[in-house]
Amino acid sequence: MHYFKKLLDLLKIEQNEDRSSYLKLTESSSVADRRAAGLTWYPVAIRGTEPSRGDYITVELERTTHQDISHQLRFGASAALFSNHDARQDRIEGTIAYQSGDRVKITLFTDELPDWCRNGKLGIDLLFDDNSYDEMQNALKQASVLSEKAGEGRLVKVLTGAEQPTFSAPLLLPKLTGLNPSQQAAVEKIVSAQDLAIVHGPPGTGKTTTLVQAIKSLISQGEKQLLVVAPSNTAVDLLSEKLAGEGLNVLRIGNPARVSDRLMSLTLDSKMAEHGRMKDIKKLKKQAAEFKNMAHKYKRSFGKAERDQRKALFDEAHKIMKDVGKTEQYIIDDLVGRAQVITATLVGSNHYTIRGLQFNTVVIDEAGQALEPACWIPILKAQKVILAGDHFQLSPTIKSAKAAHDGLSNTLLEKCITLHPEAVVLLEEQYRMNEAIMTYSSQVFYQNKLQAHASVAQRLLFTADAPFSYVDTAGCGFDEKPEGTSMANAEEAGFLFKHLEKLVTELNEHYTTENFPTIAIVSPYKEQIRLLKDQQQHWPGLQLYQDKISVNTIDSFQGQERDIVYISMTRSNTKGEIGFLSDIRRMNVAMTRARKKLIIIGDSSTLAQAPFYADMIKYAEQINGYQSAWDFVAMD
């Protein structure tokens, strides 16, 4: 089917781009460069080994220095253990089975640790992730086959627009406590959907709360088990925790991003460790290890008798490990069978422990950030899919500009909202922002349908404060400077801190250090963020509150909120060029992080060339939120 062929072609372009940028990073770079790029841990120390599934061994490693460097090692990723003694020869590949803090477990494709592990220092390299691409390609091929079969693959046909979604007669659900009318309507839509329901959740509208109640309702209607997935570990963690908090039996496949005890107790590893049959496995593994140790004693020159003896010991160890495999499988099947909700990332939903399972309902959260090919992995396990997200916030990260432009950035959520408006419920009441902060976003993105809940609508930092300010730097001579592929504006950064210092002085009259408001400083540009972080240290009036201030890119704040948000727009030039500020969805995310006060600092003569920003500045004027930076400069 043309639909899937096009997606496969786009995915191929993306994979090639991804691979070439990975190779560029790694081929000629030193260990230190790779470590700085988050692709390598070096040096690492071995903290333990144990026999693993099949004839593999799992080794636990700890990074012993450079612990502050962020990294990309994740559960399920391909990695290699290497020795600096001869990094080309001395390396062995495997899969990351666990990662938390500065520890990682890798299942290596061998049954014993190679001798070179005792030579030189060891490290771990992250390998290019072909596995995710393979999973996505296989899913697209399977979906394509289903879409052509008469009488089969109804869900595939609905999602690609060949058939219409159907709904059963509306069930009279009991009024769910704590849900507003649009949330209740979303739950009812989900329960009555036969194949597709969509929850469109703008910022702060309680999308997660709604999904949790819908999942509980489906279970109370007789569904034995649901699969709940999202593109990121963080989103999966949030849902897993909330669902478990409602008393459901949740099994988290994969490795949580946040290492809280509550989350860890939901993982397969943790539940296996507590299983009654685990004692048998420990005993068997110990026996297998003993046989292997005995076999390893025959290392020096030995004759046929010793060779036979060594083989017999290895055979015995393998036989025991087969029994271990069977017992482990029994435990996994038992735990998976009893779970009411299984949670995983999109690609993790095809993990070997649940690969063969089918579900009536699959829930995909944060579907606005999910790459469509990845969504097909869990969809193939379902009769019915619930998509939840907001296509007016950040779209998926795509490496290839060509693939993005040709349609890979168009998510399944967007397509289905256009194809099947009857399946969509918009959550209309938000619980985060003062009304003035919400209104412009609501006008542009949500057809003016967003309402602020009474508890937040008029919420201010202090009486008579202005909740929305646009501070115009036009004519101040704050010029942008290109830095590599990014942009920076040092004068604007300095002005922002001056403005914040003045605000902090005002807030000191209303708050103590303990209950002081939280503050986010965001910019779309990485280079501007680096500059802001550098400058942050040099403002004496802010030192007391450093733990209340977070400075980061807009993308890293998706899903978060703060009392006060500053946006440094950075761009200021005579040509009116705004680069990727023209991605107004990113701006929507930035503006809707603020609870009580939003301050946007930018040059109107540059920004107002784009209608979105021209209208935003007009909106600020209408609500008396427009100020000129000259007013502040003149005060000095």
Side-chain angles (χ1 to χ4, degrees), residues 468-478 489 491-492 495-496 499 566-573 598-609 613-614 616-618 620-621 624-634:
F468 184 115
S469 300
Y470 175 80
V471 186
D472 190 355
T473 62
C476 291
F478 296 174
N489 189 327
E491 287 93 352
E492 183 177 291
F495 173 77
L496 185 150
H499 190 285
Y566 274 86
I567 308 175
S568 169
M569 299 299 285
T570 311
R571 300 306 299 254
S572 175
N573 56 65
L598 172 65
I599 300 141
I600 300 171
I601 298 175
D603 178 348
S604 65
S605 65
T606 302
L607 296 176
Q609 305 297 317
Y613 295 108
M616 181 183 80
I617 294 163
K618 259 191 226 128
E621 285 167 347
N624 294 328
Y626 176 88
Q627 294 166 301
S628 166
W630 282 102
D631 301 344
F632 293 89
V633 176

Side-chain angles (χ1 to χ4, degrees), residues 55-112:
D55 292 336
Y56 298 153
I57 186 169
T58 295
V59 54
E60 183 173 1
L61 303 147
E62 183 176 14
R63 63 169 169 176
T64 47
T65 63
H66 301 85
Q67 280 123 326
D68 54 331
I69 298 179
S70 64
H71 64 89
Q72 297 172 42
L73 274 64
R74 298 284 178 270
F75 167 83
S78 304
L81 178 67
F82 68 88
S83 158
N84 74 333
H85 180 68
D86 181 351
R88 289 216 173 276
Q89 286 299 311
D90 297 350
R91 63 192 290 121
I92 186 161
E93 295 190 1
T95 304
I96 295 176
Y98 171 82
Q99 191 283 309
S100 173
D102 292 306
R103 295 214 167 201
V104 68
K105 287 183 184 177
I106 299 185
T107 301
L108 297 172
F109 304 145
T110 175
D111 65 351
E112 51 185 316

Side-chain angles (χ1 to χ4, degrees), residues 414-634:
E414 281 174 90
K415 290 178 185 176
C416 286
I417 285 177
T418 309
L419 284 169
H420 305 304
E422 72 279 21
V424 184
V425 175
L426 173 72
L427 302 181
E428 293 175 354
E429 196 165 18
Q430 64 83 18
Y431 298 81
R432 175 183 298 163
M433 297 163 266
N434 176 296
E435 210 161 36
I437 298 169
M438 168 202 83
T439 300
Y440 184 62
S441 187
S442 178
Q443 285 170 6
V444 177
F445 297 101
Y446 308 110
Q447 303 156 334
N448 243 337
K449 287 184 179 164
L450 270 194
Q451 301 295 314
H453 186 260
S455 61
V456 302
Q458 304 304 320
R459 200 164 57 166
L460 296 168
L461 287 168
F462 51 86
T463 316
D465 184 41
F468 184 115
S469 300
Y470 175 80
V471 186
D472 190 355
T473 62
C476 291
F478 296 174
D479 293 333
E480 64 182 52
K481 304 259 183 326
E483 297 282 347
T485 56
S486 192
M487 280 285 166
N489 189 327
E491 287 93 352
E492 183 177 291
F495 173 77
L496 185 150
F497 283 119
K498 190 179 289 181
H499 190 285
L500 174 58
E501 208 172 40
K502 183 176 171 298
L503 176 63
V504 163
T505 310
E506 275 180 78
L507 292 172
N508 278 334
E509 296 170 23
H510 304 272
Y511 295 93
T512 64
T513 348
E514 283 69 50
N515 73 351
F516 204 80
T518 54
I519 301 163
I521 300 172
V522 302
S523 170
Y525 291 98
K526 283 200 173 101
E527 201 49 45
Q528 183 71 347
I529 291 300
R530 195 187 61 73
L531 205 89
L532 286 159
K533 283 182 173 170
D534 280 355
Q535 288 198 16
Q536 187 183 358
Q537 315 311 318
H538 307 303
W539 292 85
L542 302 178
Q543 293 316 305
L544 251 184
Y545 305 106
Q546 291 297 2
D547 61 331
K548 298 283 186 179
I549 302 171
S550 358
V551 182
N552 219 325
T553 58
I554 294 168
D555 298 35
S556 63
F557 275 102
Q558 170 125 347
Q560 298 186 47
E561 51 188 73
R562 296 289 189 276
D563 295 320
I564 302 165
V565 172
Y566 274 86
I567 308 175
S568 169
M569 299 299 285
T570 311
R571 300 306 299 254
S572 175
N573 56 65
T574 49
K575 297 186 194 125
E577 287 174 357
I578 61 167
F580 86 145
L581 285 187
S582 54
D583 178 1
I584 59 175
R585 295 195 289 194
R586 182 173 271 107
M587 202 57 200
N588 185 33
V589 171
M591 292 168 73
T592 54
R593 300 306 97 201
R595 293 189 196 112
K596 301 175 187 173
K597 190 175 183 72
L598 172 65
I599 300 141
I600 300 171
I601 298 175
D603 178 348
S604 65
S605 65
T606 302
L607 296 176
Q609 305 297 317
F612 174 83
Y613 295 108
D615 290 346
M616 181 183 80
I617 294 163
K618 259 191 226 128
Y619 170 72
E621 285 167 347
Q622 282 160 14
I623 60 165
N624 294 328
Y626 176 88
Q627 294 166 301
S628 166
W630 282 102
D631 301 344
F632 293 89
V633 176

